[in-house]
Amino acid sequence: MEKIGEQGYPDGYGNVRNYVSRTLPPSARAVTRWHLTHPDALAESDRIQLRAVLANCPELDVLAKQVRAFAHMVTDLQGAQLPEWIEPAGAATGLPSPSRFAHHLAHTGPLLAACGAAAATQ
């Protein structure tokens, strides 16, 4: 900080820190939190940052759509839709974790769908 002050930079350490923090990409934790938070509950600044991340990473954009579809299905007790969700979810992103998740759901899917159907009729 002293060196740039000697070269004529008039502001202090706080301004440098603020500038650098704006130029750093968001952490994986922040992006995960944005994915897993209901869109209506996201702050506008988080929505803007999430849109920027998704625009720069097509795989994450596909994953975000799959996560939202799954969340909608679970929240609205639409377990009968699980089989239609599993196949595209496993193949859509090409990422290993969603593919494994979909693979495991395929094995437990009939049980989960039956539970969802039973819960919806109560």
Side-chain angles (χ1 to χ4, degrees):
M1 191 68 218
E2 293 170 8
K3 287 185 180 185
I4 63 172
E6 291 169 3
Q7 295 176 9
Y9 183 72
D11 293 325
Y13 176 78
N15 286 345
V16 173
R17 186 189 65 232
N18 291 339
Y19 175 78
V20 169
S21 69
R22 284 189 309 229
T23 60
L24 293 175
S27 68
R29 177 177 277 186
V31 174
T32 301
R33 182 178 52 80
W34 299 335
H35 275 295
L36 299 177
T37 300
H38 191 284
D40 296 340
L42 276 177
E44 185 61 27
S45 60
D46 292 342
R47 260 189 227 125
I48 291 168
Q49 290 182 73
L50 179 58
R51 272 187 247 139
V53 167
L54 298 180
N56 288 312
C57 185
E59 294 86 1
L60 278 181
D61 189 36
V62 171
L63 178 63
K65 290 173 184 160
Q66 294 296 330
V67 168
R68 290 221 163 65
F70 185 79
H72 176 72
M73 185 175 42
V74 170
T75 303
D76 294 341
L77 299 176
Q78 298 174 342
Q81 295 178 358
L82 187 61
E84 292 102 40
W85 180 87
I86 289 174
E87 187 174 335
T93 65
L95 299 172
S97 294
S99 296
R100 283 194 300 269
F101 180 66
H103 174 75
H104 290 292
L105 279 179
H107 294 293
T108 59
L111 175 63
L112 294 173
C115 291
T121 60
Q122 293 178 355

